[in-house]
Amino acid sequence: MNVFSIFGDPVSHSRSPLMHNCVFKTLNIDACYTRTHLTEGAQLRNTFFAKALSGANVTVPHKEAAYAQCDEVRGIAKTIQAVNTLVLEEGKLIGYNTDADGFMSAIGSFGDIHTALIIGAGGTARALSIALSHGGITPTILNRSRGRLEYFECEGFECFDWEEFIARPYDLIINTTSAGLSDNELPLPRPILMELLSQTKGAIDVIYGKETPFLREVKVSALPYKDGSDMLLEQGVLANHLFFHGAYPIDQIRSAMKHSFTL
Ligand code: NDP
């Protein structure tokens, strides 16, 4: 039996085991997917091999540690320098980032987008900024502090902290901060957010499974919006497809995984 796992800290809230096990059951794949609570990111590779895993996903805060411990990193993960999917290939640990492509699939429903404002400058913001840029969409990054903006400046993206930012129109506003995840905070001072929402065409919050204060304000503005569920689904579909080296049709994986959201 092939065994897979998600590594994170915390990890108990993760929906990945349900999503992937639903695919295994529906497609009659002899595999199971577990959770691994890992506090020390540096132990990721050893733990992967000690558990004899065939593949894994990696969540907060170990995506950068996973990148550093792969034998080979493929695709957009090389630029983002963060890995959320690990696959064992001929005894080697291969790293991918499916958050980026998952996000691009998720925003397809917003139609034509040329500019996007990313709020936040963490690992998710990195993945999305690179994915948007590769997709021909110009990202601007807005963070409450300057420290984490350096990566984005090096990539040549326009960056602002709250102090220097002046609102202007964007096609899409994306909240990648954890504001609203376990508190009741907005990701931006309210006056700036209100001004932005009056000039944008749509908004997305990468947080899923709850209505954040950010999404509540977006709803009041009557803009098209979505939470992070579609991104979660699509990154999972792509990871599952990689786990078996493309052996199972992606449409069948998506349909089985989507079903797990109704359980
Ligand atoms: P990081 O910890 O790497 O980055 C967090 C960012 O949020 C930082 O820029 C930080 O700013 C900012 N921030 C945190 N709290 C606040 C606040 N109260 N107000 C304003 N800014 C704040 O996190 P990740 O990028 O790894 O993850 C971010 C979110 O994305 C999480 O909620 C995670 O659950 C979600 N996610 C969803 C996915 C999906 O599939 N839907 C996939 C991956 C992540 P500063 O630099 O000033 O500290």
Side-chain angles (χ1 to χ4, degrees):
M1 180 190 269
N2 289 295
V3 182
F4 300 87
S5 194
I6 176 146
F7 290 93
D9 180 21
V11 78
S12 58
H13 68 287
S14 171
R15 286 201 200 165
S16 292
L18 183 62
M19 288 160 56
H20 288 276
N21 283 323
C22 203
V23 175
F24 301 155
K25 190 168 172 220
T26 310
L27 302 189
N28 268 321
I29 303 171
D30 187 22
C32 83
Y33 191 110
T34 65
R35 285 188 169 84
T36 305
H37 182 204
L38 187 77
T39 48
E40 279 300 311
Q43 291 305 315
L44 197 146
R45 185 186 170 92
N46 286 347
T47 314
F48 182 100
F49 285 105
K51 285 180 171 258
L53 300 176
S54 302
N57 288 117
V58 184
T59 187
V60 183
H62 300 315
K63 291 181 189 178
E64 284 85 3
Y67 168 83
Q69 291 169 61
C70 288
D71 293 305
E72 185 186 333
V73 175
R74 292 190 187 150
I76 202 163
K78 284 193 277 194
T79 316
I80 301 166
Q81 297 173 13
V83 154
N84 81 323
T85 300
L86 295 165
V87 182
L88 190 66
E89 204 177 287
E90 293 168 357
K92 289 192 173 154
L93 206 51
I94 314 296
Y96 299 89
N97 190 304
T98 67
D99 286 334
D101 290 340
F103 176 78
M104 293 307 282
S105 298
I107 63 168
S109 59
F110 284 101
D112 237 12
I113 295 170
H114 303 285
T115 58
L117 179 72
I118 298 177
I119 310 170
T124 308
R126 278 191 192 200
L128 304 199
S129 64
I130 300 294
L132 287 166
S133 165
H134 284 198
I137 300 169
T138 307
T140 298
I141 325 300
L142 174 58
N143 199 40
R144 65 180 170 188
S145 58
R146 276 225 74 82
R148 297 206 221 195
L149 291 175
E150 198 183 339
Y151 169 88
F152 302 90
E153 278 165 349
C154 290
E155 287 297 327
F157 302 143
E158 194 175 27
C159 298
F160 300 98
D161 63 21
W162 289 0
E163 298 277 295
E164 57 199 14
F165 182 72
I166 295 168
R168 60 170 200 257
Y170 295 94
D171 293 335
L172 187 66
I173 298 182
I174 308 157
N175 177 34
T176 73
T177 75
S178 37
L181 182 64
S182 50
D183 53 39
N184 209 27
E185 288 184 37
L186 284 169
L188 278 179
R190 202 162 185 284
I192 305 181
L193 180 61
M194 291 300 124
E195 211 180 329
L196 278 169
L197 293 181
S198 69
Q199 306 178 46
T200 189
K201 293 185 192 161
I204 180 164
D205 197 325
V206 299
I207 294 174
Y208 55 85
K210 68 172 291 194
E211 189 178 87
T212 57
F214 172 76
L215 275 194
R216 273 203 291 280
E217 294 296 349
V218 172
K219 259 177 146 173
V220 172
S221 311
L223 290 169
Y225 71 93
K226 50 170 69 176
D227 75 357
S229 303
D230 285 355
M231 176 182 171
L232 177 72
L233 171 69
E234 293 301 331
Q235 64 75 31
V237 169
L238 296 170
N240 195 286
H241 193 59
L242 289 167
F243 285 162
F244 297 97
H245 313 284
Y248 298 93
I250 202 149
D251 289 347
Q252 287 182 24
I253 295 172
R254 182 177 291 106
S255 145
M257 199 171 268
K258 217 170 183 172
H259 178 64
S260 75
F261 283 63
T262 64
L263 298 175

